[in-house]
Amino acid sequence: TDLGLAINDLAAQLFDIEFTGIYFRDPVSLHLRLVGSRGLEADEIQEAERTAWQRHPGRVIQRGERIVVEDTRADPTNQSTTSPRRRVEIRSRCYLPVNSGGEIVGTLGLASSKPGSFGEAHVEGLEFLADIAGLTWSRLLEQRRRETRDKILIAAGDAAERLLAARRWEDVLRELLDTIHRAFGAASAFFIDPQGDVVGDDHAPRFPAAFVAAVQENDHTGLTGNGVVLPPPLKVTDSRLAEPWAAVAVMVGEDLVGILLVIDGTEGRVHDANSIAALRAFAEPLAAKIARDRLEQRLTQSQRMDALGQLAGGVAHDINNLLMPVLGLASNLARDESDPDRRKSLLDIQLAAERGRDFVEQVLLLTRRRVATDELTNLSEVVEEAVTLLNSAIPPGVRLETEIRDRRAGVLGDRTAILRLIQNLLTNALHAVGERDGEVVIGLHHTPADETVTIEVRDNGIGMPEEIRSRLFDPFFTTRRSGSERGLGLTIVHRVTTELGGDIEVWSELEKGSAFHIRLPRVEIEAGRSDDRPDLQADPEAGTGCVLVVDDDAMVRSTTEALVGSLGYEVLSAPDGPSSLEIAAGCHPDLVLSDLSMPGMDGLELARRLRADGFDGAIALITGYGEDAIDSAAESGIDEILRKPISRNDLGHAILRLLTGSKSA
């Protein structure tokens, strides 16, 4: 306004004019504003601005040409009529473009009560006034941009400090978006996840996938829109993108973690590289915070696993030694028990011991056991085995169905670990359905595009809210308070999946159900190949031969002796390594069954000494630590590793396998 009045005063000194004014294109609204015009009432200015685009001022900006009306009475377009409120008639007009940095930003207009007041002799002086207006306008705009930039940089700095101080980036996201909203003077600001969902607003419509993909493809340059024409390659629209907007991708490494988007409530806002740079001032500290949070989560998870591993390693052996006589003797006594009630009690004792063994096994699997091995596991067979094992635990009214579309899918990995993964997924789904009528489906299908196989487990159960979904894979986290639920199942699923080089996707909606997708690297199973495993539920055949049992724990040793003897074998025993070497040298047993952890000489050293002395029979270690704890078993001459506690049937099959030379996988 001050600029317009100054031009008006200068023009009045140089020319015989009635009034002067400048129509500037407002950089925010793009409307034409009339400034610096003396003697016009507010309603006259408002009317002049409203019709400016349709009159000479608008033509000058649109075409970049000057317009001179020598006599308004002879104006063929009739666009230079005098307002009835003017005290004198306007007889001549002149309109010149106002240039700012090569862009026409306005029109300088002059009016006189005399015809022909603006001839060619006046052009040089008139253009001088227009140049002064354009130069001053450029400085004003630069000052505004500088003030806006400083405001945004200060806001971005404050936002970075708040992100750094926050425990989690989600805790300050809403505050961050409010800061962006205010700093840009925008109508709204959003953070959009890679699926197009507005983070923090579950009811907001999802943004089009094409929009997310377009922003991600321009992750280094950002993307802007004018609200009228979508930038290529976008072909879909969203009502929220019908206003000017700017968007940048928030990247952590090569991964898109979200999109920052600002949307203006006015059609006139023009976003350019400056808007993108300003928005990046917020996106970069946000990406850094997300990356830091992820790293801290991994470190915390690793620390938890280390602590759990130390706990497991310290107590597993002792717990399994305690369970060994319980499981072994209960299974042995139940075999010859004729009283149904007593037999049922013995089987219950056996079942309780097996559950204790399974829990210790899960802890060991979670923390120490190697999952990625050279063993080729047939997934369809493992899925069917898991379903068979869980059939007795399915609540009434719940259907457990299989959809196996890929029967030749294999995975290089420990079969027991993969079985545990599937069992835990199915158990979790069955619990989610509960006692009400429902359905659990396990599927297996091939994705040829990336040569993966997907294990899908879905249910129509109660679903999960976000606060539970975010903690699914934490050790010992569970929403169930049953004594049999210890919160390790999904932690094991996560650990096995990641060690096999796969990934997990989880979908869940309250009262609609959940779905887990486990994608694993696929290996083709040869046609006709099957896993010939013995029926471990059947009673083992009675055997012949001599077995030397070595264990420093007298109770475990006597239990193992009783089990081996009940299977028909001759039994010798020793409490330690040195005495067992003397016995083996004198009687030459067919099998040495030794504990791993013994004082003085452990099972590994005993095996090495036996092989060095020429012993050519079978050697097996029986341990409560887990076979993954023994890195040098094969080098020590050990044929197989058995797990404590062990039932009579399992021990019988193992001894028969060892004595017939059929080594365990």
Side-chain angles (χ1 to χ4, degrees):
T1 300
D2 292 340
L3 171 63
L5 292 174
I7 295 294
N8 189 309
D9 292 341
L10 185 57
Q13 297 174 27
L14 298 175
F15 304 101
D16 184 11
I17 62 170
E18 180 67 25
F19 67 86
T20 300
I22 306 176
Y23 289 89
F24 276 120
R25 186 178 62 181
D26 188 278
V28 176
S29 69
L30 293 187
H31 298 312
L32 291 182
R33 294 177 53 204
L34 178 57
V35 298
S37 179
R38 297 185 187 277
L40 291 182
E41 300 294 336
D43 58 340
E44 292 181 281
I45 294 176
Q46 185 177 4
E47 179 63 18
E49 291 178 344
R50 188 183 66 81
T51 61
W53 277 115
Q54 289 75 45
R55 297 186 292 106
H56 292 316
R59 289 179 57 195
V60 170
I61 293 176
Q62 292 166 354
R63 301 182 185 182
E65 61 185 25
R66 58 188 175 92
I67 297 176
V68 177
V69 180
E70 293 187 359
D71 190 344
T72 58
R73 293 180 182 179
D75 184 7
T77 60
N78 196 32
Q79 293 184 351
S80 298
T81 58
T82 303
S83 169
R85 301 173 62 175
R86 293 286 90 210
R87 65 182 184 276
V88 295
E89 182 182 5
I90 300 301
R91 294 297 303 276
S92 60
R93 296 178 185 272
C94 179
Y95 298 95
L96 296 174
V98 176
N99 288 279
S100 174
E103 180 186 6
I104 299 175
V105 297
T107 300
L108 171 62
L110 302 95
S112 175
S113 59
K114 296 179 180 181
S117 294
F118 308 105
E120 289 296 328
H122 302 109
V123 169
E124 184 176 344
L126 294 172
E127 289 181 342
F128 171 70
L129 292 178
D131 289 342
I132 291 177
L135 178 61
T136 308
W137 185 247
S138 297
R139 290 177 176 174
L140 290 171
L141 283 183
E142 180 57 32
Q143 179 180 344
R144 173 181 287 184
R145 291 193 183 101
R146 188 163 53 248
E147 291 172 351
T148 302
R149 182 171 62 249
D150 292 345
K151 179 181 177 182
I152 289 175
L153 289 176
I154 292 172
D158 292 342
E161 290 182 4
R162 287 194 295 272
L163 281 166
L164 188 62
R167 189 176 65 87
R168 301 184 312 154
W169 67 270
E170 294 96 337
D171 297 339
V172 293
L173 179 61
R174 183 68 264 167
E175 186 179 354
L176 174 67
L177 294 176
D178 289 341
T179 300
I180 295 173
H181 172 207
R182 292 192 301 270
F184 276 81
S188 53
F190 299 104
F191 183 68
I192 305 164
D193 70 16
Q195 289 71 48
D197 291 320
V198 177
V199 178
D201 188 350
D202 295 335
H203 302 292
R206 174 175 287 185
F207 278 86
F211 170 74
V212 175
V215 177
Q216 183 176 9
E217 289 172 6
N218 292 272
D219 61 317
H220 296 298
T221 58
L223 205 61
T224 61
N226 59 15
V228 179
V229 180
L230 287 170
L234 291 181
K235 296 181 180 179
V236 295
T237 189
D238 185 292
S239 61
R240 291 165 292 186
L241 302 179
E243 305 287 352
W245 52 267
V248 298
V250 181
M251 307 291 293
V252 173
E254 298 296 323
D255 297 333
L256 175 72
V257 295
I259 292 170
L260 276 180
L261 170 69
V262 292
I263 297 177
D264 289 282
T266 173
E267 297 177 358
R269 182 72 172 265
V270 177
H271 285 293
D272 54 14
N274 292 319
S275 299
I276 295 299
L279 198 51
R280 283 201 180 281
F282 293 92
E284 290 174 1
L286 176 59
K289 175 61 175 174
I290 293 174
R292 176 176 174 173
D293 286 358
R294 289 184 171 183
L295 177 60
E296 287 179 349
Q297 288 172 0
R298 288 196 295 270
L299 289 175
T300 301
Q301 183 81 355
S302 176
Q303 290 168 353
R304 289 174 179 173
M305 292 301 100
D306 288 345
L308 193 56
Q310 293 175 7
L311 172 66
V315 303
H317 180 265
D318 291 339
I319 292 177
N320 283 328
N321 270 353
L322 293 173
L323 291 174
M324 179 70 185
V326 178
L327 176 60
L329 295 177
S331 62
N332 200 24
L333 292 172
R335 171 174 158 269
D336 298 324
E337 181 57 59
S338 58
D339 185 294
D341 293 334
R342 290 173 61 84
R343 179 177 173 79
K344 181 180 181 305
S345 297
L346 289 168
L347 292 176
D348 286 343
I349 294 172
Q350 181 179 341
L351 178 60
E354 288 174 347
R355 285 181 175 175
R357 176 192 62 188
D358 291 347
F359 174 64
V360 175
E361 180 183 341
Q362 291 211 58
V363 174
L364 290 171
L365 172 63
L366 182 65
T367 58
R368 299 173 62 181
R369 184 171 185 158
R370 284 193 311 113
V371 173
T373 68
D374 294 333
E375 179 183 359
L376 179 58
T377 297
N378 188 319
L379 279 182
S380 63
E381 292 181 357
V382 176
V383 168
E384 290 170 343
E385 180 180 347
V387 171
T388 300
L389 292 173
L390 285 172
N391 271 334
S392 60
I394 299 175
V398 179
R399 300 181 306 280
L400 177 56
E401 299 183 0
T402 58
E403 294 178 355
I404 299 179
R405 300 190 180 95
D406 187 4
R407 291 198 169 271
R408 297 181 63 179
V411 172
L412 289 177
D414 181 83
R415 189 180 194 278
T416 302
I418 297 170
L419 176 62
R420 284 289 184 189
L421 178 150
I422 296 171
Q423 283 180 310
N424 287 331
L425 283 175
L426 289 174
T427 300
N428 185 71
L430 290 170
H431 277 292
V433 175
E435 298 299 326
R436 62 184 181 180
D437 292 345
E439 180 181 71
V440 173
V441 179
I442 179 167
L444 197 64
H445 60 268
H446 180 199
T447 308
D450 55 3
E451 280 304 316
T452 60
V453 59
T454 298
I455 304 169
E456 177 189 20
V457 176
R458 64 180 187 270
D459 64 73
N460 58 357
I462 58 175
M464 294 176 287
E466 175 58 30
E467 58 268 21
I468 291 179
R469 194 159 63 238
S470 64
R471 297 189 60 194
L472 274 181
F473 305 115
D474 286 356
F476 296 109
F477 173 74
T478 179
T479 58
R480 299 185 289 272
R481 292 292 171 248
S482 166
S484 63
E485 300 301 330
R486 300 172 182 88
L488 288 179
L490 292 179
T491 311
I492 289 173
V493 168
H494 183 271
R495 191 250 176 172
V496 173
T497 300
T498 53
E499 285 210 14
L500 292 177
D503 58 73
I504 305 174
E505 281 187 1
V506 181
W507 169 89
S508 187
E509 190 171 344
L510 287 175
E511 299 305 326
K512 291 189 177 180
S514 304
F516 287 74
H517 291 86
I518 311 293
R519 283 192 296 270
L520 300 173
R522 182 182 184 275
V523 179
E524 185 82 4
I525 296 289
E526 297 176 8
R529 176 170 175 168
S530 63
D531 190 4
D532 297 326
R533 292 176 178 269
D535 181 6
L536 298 181
Q537 301 301 316
D539 285 338
E541 299 176 11
T544 57
C546 179
V547 177
L548 172 58
V549 175
V550 186
D551 202 304
D552 62 307
D553 189 308
M555 186 167 57
V556 173
R557 187 171 66 250
S558 64
T559 299
T560 308
E561 288 180 48
L563 293 177
V564 174
S566 71
L567 292 165
Y569 299 98
E570 179 185 352
V571 186
L572 301 173
S573 68
D576 52 44
S579 58
S580 64
L581 288 174
E582 295 179 5
I583 295 173
C587 69
H588 305 290
D590 300 292
L591 166 66
V592 174
L593 185 60
S594 173
D595 184 26
L596 166 65
S597 177
M598 296 183 294
M601 182 186 297
D602 64 13
L604 292 172
E605 178 62 23
L606 172 60
R608 285 192 288 267
R609 293 282 297 274
L610 285 169
R611 294 304 185 198
D613 291 344
F615 179 73
D616 59 0
I619 302 176
L621 289 186
I622 182 166
T623 175
Y625 285 114
E627 65 270 25
D628 59 307
I630 311 167
D631 296 326
S632 56
E635 292 82 354
S636 300
I638 295 167
D639 297 301
E640 189 166 343
I641 300 170
L642 306 179
R643 297 290 306 279
K644 290 180 183 178
I646 190 167
S647 68
R648 179 182 182 277
N649 278 11
D650 292 341
L651 182 60
H653 288 296
I655 294 175
L656 187 62
R657 185 169 59 242
L658 285 160
L659 293 182
T660 57
S662 175
K663 301 297 187 291
S664 166

